[in-house]
Amino acid sequence: MEEKTLIQSCIRGDKSAQHLLYKKFSSLVFGICLRYAKNRMEAEDSMQEAFVKIYNHLKDYQSAGSFEGWVRRIAVNTAITGYRKNLRGRLEDEIDDRSEYANSLVEHHDVEYTMEELMICVQALPDGYRTVFNLYAVEGYKHKEIGEMLQIDVNTSKSQFSRAKGHLQKALLDLSAQKIPVES
Amino acid sequence: MNKVANDLQNYAPQAPSGMEDRIQKALNKKKSFWAFSWYTMNVYAVALIGAGVLALVFSNRGESRVVVQSVAPSAAEVKAIPSDVADVNANSHVILNAEKESKSTPAKTIRRSKIVQGETSVSALVVENCQSTPIVEPAIVEVAETIEVQRMPEEIQVPYPKKEVIKAKGRTLKLTRFTGK
């Protein structure tokens, strides 16, 4: 079934078309939700909300851009909305521990990890760091755009990304350090 | 770090099982609130019928209360009937004039008056004691056999009857009530 036909069927409420759409994009949406969420449960909630939005706003989709990009944007926006909702409670996590990770900002190209391990490291990041890291490094947004989206200063976005990178590198180094004795 | 970002971007794990049903449930739940559905219509219909039955029950209760209240004054009315008799007694001099008495028609009569008058023949007493006066047959022949209680729209305040003793010539005679046409 063509993408356009699939969308039109979904708009009409065709259950089989909705099933096809879910099959096609569920992995993509779940991957995005897992990256922005703290744990799997939170990711599932976010995924549910994202798909409900997708089904309800299909009629608003303009054929100008790619449909996959549109779906991705809805999933990211849903994750950001969730982050904003709990922003007040999460501010306590934003502790300035730059000194701790200042020396760890070294590129390590030969760190081996699985995707599950990488995801655990990303989810272990503080909420603000994780969101900025995902938006900047993975989605490709500019710091100015991130500042507007999260309603934070551009410099805050930059510093949070820097700290997120440091956290992640250290977590990956620790992971590889744990692996070495096991392998030897 | 670019490798990490690239890996994360392409990461697409399998969605958990049962997620699709969960999404469909959430979708239907959201739709049913805004859009038309027979389920919500049934709920509304049941609620409307229930409200109608309740309204009917309460309105019936209100009517029964009104009936109780409207019955109460009629009982009071029956008790107040002696006042009519008293009016007749007050104008008892009419007894001596049959023509005038015939004109005085009491509004209501009761059976009790007959019982009281049936014990003694008032006319005989009058004849015995009032020699100089002409003999007049009292017009209290017909007594209403039935009590007609009319439902009054409002409670009528009737003054309590004044007892008057009629002093006839010779012996005193106390007339309690006279009725009749």
Side-chain angles (χ1 to χ4, degrees):
Chain A
M1 193 184 282
E2 276 185 32
E3 200 169 70
K4 202 170 181 178
T5 318
L6 184 71
I7 292 165
Q8 289 302 320
S9 301
C10 285
I11 291 169
R12 283 197 300 271
D14 186 354
K15 295 285 176 192
S16 59
Q18 286 181 349
H19 174 71
L20 278 174
L21 191 84
Y22 175 82
K23 281 275 177 195
K24 197 172 181 182
F25 294 104
S26 60
S27 298
L28 173 77
V29 174
F30 190 55
I32 293 167
C33 293
L34 269 178
R35 270 195 283 121
Y36 283 87
K38 198 185 285 184
N39 51 47
R40 200 177 171 87
M41 261 178 63
E42 203 177 295
E44 285 177 9
D45 290 344
S46 185
M47 182 186 178
Q48 177 190 318
E49 206 172 324
F51 261 102
V52 168
K53 277 185 187 174
I54 288 166
Y55 287 136
N56 284 336
H57 292 91
L58 271 174
K59 56 184 177 295
D60 301 331
Y61 166 66
Q62 308 290 330
S63 305
S66 78
F67 185 65
E68 189 182 317
W70 185 78
V71 169
R72 183 184 282 271
R73 203 158 55 248
I74 284 184
V76 170
N77 286 341
T78 307
I80 290 169
T81 308
Y83 165 74
R84 273 192 200 157
K85 276 182 189 171
N86 301 320
L87 195 61
R88 189 169 288 181
R90 291 175 180 184
L91 280 173
E92 292 172 4
D93 296 338
E94 317 297 326
I95 305 159
D96 189 2
D97 47 5
R98 196 182 306 174
S99 57
E100 190 183 342
Y101 295 100
N103 299 325
S104 67
L105 292 171
V106 187
E107 291 290 331
H108 292 271
H109 298 287
D110 52 349
V111 176
E112 291 295 323
Y113 54 83
T114 63
M115 279 311 293
E116 281 72 29
E117 287 169 343
L118 179 61
M119 196 53 69
I120 288 167
C121 293
V122 170
Q123 286 181 339
L125 288 171
D127 295 328
Y129 294 3
R130 187 174 60 248
T131 309
V132 171
F133 176 81
N134 275 315
L135 288 172
Y136 184 82
V138 185
E139 313 296 346
Y141 286 101
K142 307 285 181 201
H143 282 300
K144 194 183 172 185
E145 290 171 324
I146 295 168
E148 285 169 2
M149 286 164 83
L150 301 181
Q151 296 173 344
I152 55 172
D153 192 61
V154 178
N155 292 325
T156 310
S157 173
K158 283 178 184 175
S159 66
Q160 285 204 336
F161 172 67
S162 173
R163 288 169 209 165
K165 203 163 73 170
H167 269 272
L168 198 59
Q169 282 177 341
K170 188 180 183 302
L172 289 172
L173 278 173
D174 290 346
L175 194 72
S176 62
Q178 283 172 1
K179 273 185 178 178
I180 291 164
V182 175
E183 285 171 358
S184 63
Chain B
M1 194 49 64
N2 286 337
K3 183 181 176 292
V4 171
N6 202 30
D7 287 343
L8 284 171
Q9 197 169 19
N10 297 324
Y11 182 54
Q14 193 176 357
S17 59
M19 202 63 208
E20 193 180 1
D21 292 337
R22 197 175 142 181
I23 289 163
Q24 285 294 338
K25 273 183 186 175
L27 200 66
N28 291 333
K29 205 175 180 181
K30 283 205 170 184
K31 268 188 178 176
S32 66
F33 185 78
W34 297 109
F36 174 84
S37 76
W38 281 111
Y39 177 75
T40 48
M41 283 305 292
N42 288 337
V43 170
Y44 291 145
V46 168
L48 272 173
I49 290 166
V53 167
L54 278 174
L56 205 67
V57 166
F58 279 113
S59 67
N60 281 341
R61 275 190 185 179
E63 276 182 13
S64 65
R65 279 181 189 168
V66 168
V67 168
V68 168
Q69 284 172 357
S70 65
V71 165
S74 67
E77 185 189 345
V78 172
K79 286 178 183 176
I81 281 173
S83 65
D84 296 335
V85 179
D87 289 339
V88 174
N89 286 336
N91 300 319
S92 60
H93 61 275
V94 179
I95 296 165
L96 303 176
N97 191 346
E99 290 176 6
K100 287 183 181 177
E101 188 178 337
S102 65
K103 289 176 184 174
S104 67
T105 52
K108 286 175 184 179
T109 57
I110 58 167
R111 192 189 296 268
R112 258 193 305 182
S113 61
K114 187 183 177 184
I115 296 163
V116 172
Q117 289 165 7
E119 289 176 359
T120 55
S121 172
V122 179
S123 59
L125 286 170
V126 171
V127 169
E128 281 179 14
N129 298 309
C130 308
Q131 292 296 328
S132 59
T133 53
I135 297 165
V136 177
E137 283 297 324
I140 51 170
V141 180
E142 292 180 8
V143 177
E145 291 295 322
T146 57
I147 301 170
E148 291 180 3
V149 180
Q150 292 178 349
R151 183 178 290 179
M152 303 295 284
E154 290 177 5
E155 188 176 353
I156 301 166
Q157 296 291 330
V158 183
Y160 196 77
K162 294 174 183 177
K163 287 183 179 178
E164 285 187 17
V165 178
I166 300 166
K167 288 183 179 178
K169 287 180 181 178
R171 292 172 65 185
T172 56
L173 174 66
K174 186 179 179 181
L175 295 175
T176 52
R177 52 186 64 151
F178 270 93
T179 57
K181 292 178 183 176

